[in-house]
Amino acid sequence: MKIQLNEKIQGDYLVAIPAWEDFDLNDIKKFIPATIFKMLETWLAKSKFDWKANVVEKINFNNAKEDRDIVLIGLGPKKEAYNYTDLQNLFASIYGLSKKEKTKEINIVADHLLSFCESTEEFVKLAAQTFEECSYEFDTYKEKKNEYQLKKAVLITKESIESLLETVEAGTVFGEVVNLAKQLVNEPANEMTPRKIAEMAQKTGNAYDFEVKVYDEKKISSFGMEAFINVAKGSDNQPRLIAMYHKGDAENPHNILGLIGKGLSFDTGGYNLKPGEGMGNMKNDMAGSAAVIAAMAAISKAKLPINVTAVVAACENMISGRAYRPGDIINTMAGKTVEIISTDAEGRLTLADAIHFAIKHERVTKIVDIATLTGAAVVALGGFRAAVISNDDALCQALTDSEKYSTEKYWRLPADEEYAKLNKSDVADLKNSGGRWAGTISAGLFLGEFVQDRPWMHLDIAGTAMTDKPKAWQQKGATGFAVKSLYYLVKKLSETN
Ligand code: BES
Ligand code: MN
Ligand code: ZN
């Protein structure tokens, strides 16, 4: 898709004018042809249109010379500042409008909005990214595909930027990788098997230029990843261990950030079988791995000056004569034994081994893990924020700083020793469920048992990975949540390294 910056509206296609209440139209007078401006003034004087939030009005102006559709978009009472979420909402509603009007090109009067971003580049990047995100639909299995595509947006402004093409490209790539994460999660579990997740990681590595290694079950066993193997062994779909490498800081080869993503291609619950209702959503139990794969693409493409190694232990939690059972006592790669309270608390087992592998085999020095780990996180925070458990204030601060750019929100939960004790077992070193109360915290702190002394942050995205309430830039289903946060978090860490 093309984005241009221009002082004059172009072509004869739609002109979108977003503005807040009491906006002085004279501020944008010079961007609009005089005849149209006159008609617009007359129309506004007579109409009751007052730029209320989310009110959109399409007007057709025509006379002998002109035939022009103008769309007025109300932004509500003027705000001190319009943040990234506001702007993303605006771009998305403009995209929706263009789609409804079936226009492939659109003018957007934007001069009065530019200053709300740190730079004109940031504004253009956000526009490109949002339009790209809006273009995604999960129609892989439908005969009738989405055919609409917005081809060109002209931002009407006096500003210009030198590296327009690169900026648009950067924004578009960002949207693309978010869409990639959505697609990986939306694909059903019969398609997106552990083997397929590994293939997609490899394919993404080829396309975005990062190295990928994939290990099969034999190799996984030889690493001693017994917890991972125990979760995987009930399924005929063989597990895969995936490692991905971005080497952006050759001067500090021993500083390596580990990104660990939960990759359950499907989670039936195992012998602690999940109720039928909602089980179908458990194809989203690899959303952590999807976020990690997609974030690696963005990190690599932007050549961030930092070393990042991502690890995904991909498998399926099923029932069979080979599956693990409640009551089993199993080993982990780290050597800690675990009493299985519930076969449905499988994610922490695969992640514990993935984290240990990342430390021992990949020598990571900081750890961020991301997982659809607990239903309790959905209960606590719903779909609006993801939960955070961490032993490191600096990592949490970097995450909080990223929220402004990512428009994704988090909330840190306490992590006192009392909660960690919930994971102690009478018959083994640990148990895999600390019970119903504070389930998100005890699950997080189970992982904390495996990070040794490393700065670590755990993100529980169980509530945010999927949505049944579509947003303007996001259809139902997978949201691609955390791709943007991970990117901005890593960017921040690369600056403070
Ligand atoms: N994948 C689920 C968590 C989940 C729930 C993700 C809802 C997305 C939406 C996880 O493996 C799980 O089953 N957790 C159990 C843990 C319990 C058995 C201790 C849960 O939350 O009920
Ligand atoms: Mn489970
Ligand atoms: Zn799970």
Side-chain angles (χ1 to χ4, degrees):
M1 186 197 152
K2 270 198 204 137
I3 295 187
Q4 292 176 354
L5 299 181
N6 212 303
E7 290 204 42
K8 290 261 143 52
I9 59 180
Q10 288 187 7
D12 54 3
Y13 34 89
L14 206 72
V15 179
I17 307 181
W20 46 83
E21 289 167 24
D22 306 319
F23 179 74
D24 185 357
L25 220 53
N26 285 311
D27 289 355
I28 55 165
K29 184 169 182 176
K30 66 172 176 189
F31 302 115
I32 299 176
T35 49
I36 299 181
F37 193 80
K38 252 219 157 70
M39 289 193 277
L40 183 58
E41 268 187 327
T42 319
W43 186 89
L44 278 167
K46 272 193 281 179
S47 84
K48 288 206 173 62
F49 187 81
D50 52 6
W51 307 97
K52 284 266 178 307
N54 304 318
V55 179
V56 174
E57 178 96 25
K58 185 178 141 194
I59 327 161
N60 177 266
F61 291 129
N62 62 64
N63 60 17
K65 284 217 264 153
E66 284 273 1
D67 180 359
R68 170 81 65 177
D69 285 333
I70 305 246
V71 177
L72 308 179
I73 302 172
L75 296 177
K78 183 175 170 54
K79 288 193 191 180
E80 276 288 306
Y82 289 81
N83 60 26
Y84 278 59
T85 307
D86 298 324
L87 293 173
Q88 195 160 18
N89 262 318
L90 174 63
F91 292 133
S93 65
I94 290 173
Y95 187 95
L97 193 94
S98 313
K99 187 171 181 177
K100 194 171 132 226
E101 298 294 330
K102 296 194 178 69
T103 173
K104 308 240 149 166
E105 305 178 307
I106 188 161
N107 289 288
I108 305 164
V109 179
D111 195 69
H112 56 305
L113 296 169
L114 251 56
S115 62
F116 297 118
C117 277
E118 273 159 26
S119 65
T120 305
E121 278 86 357
E122 283 293 302
F123 188 88
V124 171
K125 211 178 132 190
L126 188 63
Q129 174 203 320
T130 308
F131 291 145
E132 184 63 30
E133 283 185 57
C134 288
S135 74
Y136 176 79
E137 267 182 46
F138 180 51
D139 56 11
T140 313
Y141 299 94
K142 284 165 88 172
E143 189 183 353
K144 200 165 173 292
K145 310 275 187 214
N146 168 40
E147 269 161 13
Y148 176 76
Q149 243 196 326
L150 182 60
K151 291 249 162 64
K152 184 165 117 186
V154 185
L155 305 176
I156 309 300
T157 171
K158 58 184 176 308
E159 304 295 330
S160 62
I161 52 181
E162 263 170 41
S163 50
L164 180 66
L165 281 181
E166 286 87 344
T167 305
V168 174
E169 161 81 1
T172 306
V173 164
F174 213 39
E176 251 170 42
V177 300
V178 174
N179 292 344
L180 166 66
K182 294 185 212 167
Q183 179 67 16
L184 293 175
V185 175
N186 280 330
E187 285 277 5
N190 58 332
E191 183 63 27
M192 199 49 62
T193 57
R195 182 168 51 83
K196 189 68 186 277
I197 297 174
E199 273 173 28
M200 291 305 290
Q202 232 140 15
K203 214 173 129 188
T204 308
N206 290 340
Y208 292 85
D209 201 24
F210 59 87
E211 191 195 336
V212 180
K213 287 185 193 159
V214 175
Y215 303 104
D216 64 9
E217 195 190 18
K218 258 201 172 134
K219 267 294 200 184
I220 296 166
S221 294
S222 77
F223 293 139
M225 303 179 84
E226 286 189 38
F228 178 22
I229 290 287
N230 263 282
V231 174
K233 70 186 186 181
S235 174
D236 285 340
N237 288 313
Q238 298 285 298
R240 290 289 185 275
L241 178 66
I242 309 162
M244 296 164 265
Y245 306 86
H246 168 69
K247 294 170 184 152
D249 185 7
E251 275 170 36
N252 300 293
H254 301 302
N255 284 356
I256 306 174
L257 172 69
L259 292 182
I260 321 291
K262 175 172 174 181
L264 264 288
S265 64
F266 197 74
D267 178 14
T268 64
Y271 276 97
N272 292 92
L273 192 64
K274 286 184 180 297
E277 190 197 347
M279 193 197 282
N281 277 339
M282 282 303 130
K283 69 173 185 177
N284 85 351
D285 217 15
M286 39 65 72
S289 67
V292 160
I293 292 167
M296 285 301 278
I299 291 163
S300 169
K301 190 85 182 188
K303 297 194 163 52
L304 296 184
I306 183 171
N307 302 314
V308 185
T309 297
V311 174
V312 169
C315 67
E316 187 176 39
N317 189 18
M318 298 287 275
I319 286 176
S320 79
R322 280 169 283 115
Y324 77 145
R325 330 157 181 73
D328 284 2
I329 299 175
I330 66 168
N331 205 352
T332 59
M333 187 182 182
K336 299 189 187 204
T337 56
V338 183
E339 177 193 6
I340 302 304
I341 301 295
S342 170
T343 59
D344 198 11
E346 84 298 338
R348 64 199 78 184
L349 299 170
T350 64
L351 287 163
D353 274 358
I355 288 171
H356 190 77
F357 176 84
I359 293 175
K360 192 178 165 199
H361 205 269
E362 305 297 346
R363 307 265 165 222
V364 303
T365 46
K366 279 185 192 165
I367 298 164
V368 175
D369 80 79
I370 172 151
T372 47
L373 201 62
T374 62
V378 194
V379 175
L381 300 170
F384 306 113
R385 286 180 185 264
V388 179
I389 305 288
S390 176
N391 63 8
D392 188 74
D393 293 346
L395 278 174
C396 293
Q397 188 57 49
L399 181 71
T400 303
D401 293 345
S402 78
E403 290 183 0
K404 171 178 165 196
Y405 304 101
S406 67
T407 71
E408 296 169 333
K409 297 194 285 186
Y410 294 83
W411 199 261
R412 187 178 180 180
L413 299 177
D416 309 86
E417 186 54 31
E418 291 95 313
Y419 294 111
K421 285 201 183 119
L422 296 172
N423 293 317
K424 295 273 172 265
S425 161
D426 293 338
V427 294
D429 297 329
L430 294 165
K431 54 185 177 186
N432 79 331
S433 169
R436 202 165 134 72
W437 312 124
T440 300
I441 302 176
S442 58
L445 290 177
F446 182 94
L447 302 179
E449 299 285 344
F450 294 86
V451 301
Q452 300 174 29
D453 55 353
R454 307 288 191 280
W456 155 75
M457 183 168 68
H458 157 70
L459 312 177
D460 191 334
I461 58 166
T464 52
M466 273 214 184
T467 181
D468 47 15
K469 290 186 197 67
K471 288 200 183 112
W473 68 87
Q474 211 168 63
Q475 61 159 187
K476 272 193 217 173
T479 58
F481 189 90
V483 176
K484 290 183 271 192
S485 338
L486 287 176
Y487 171 79
Y488 284 111
L489 171 75
V490 172
K491 183 160 182 278
K492 182 85 185 185
L493 296 178
S494 76
E495 288 158 3
T496 51
N497 235 350

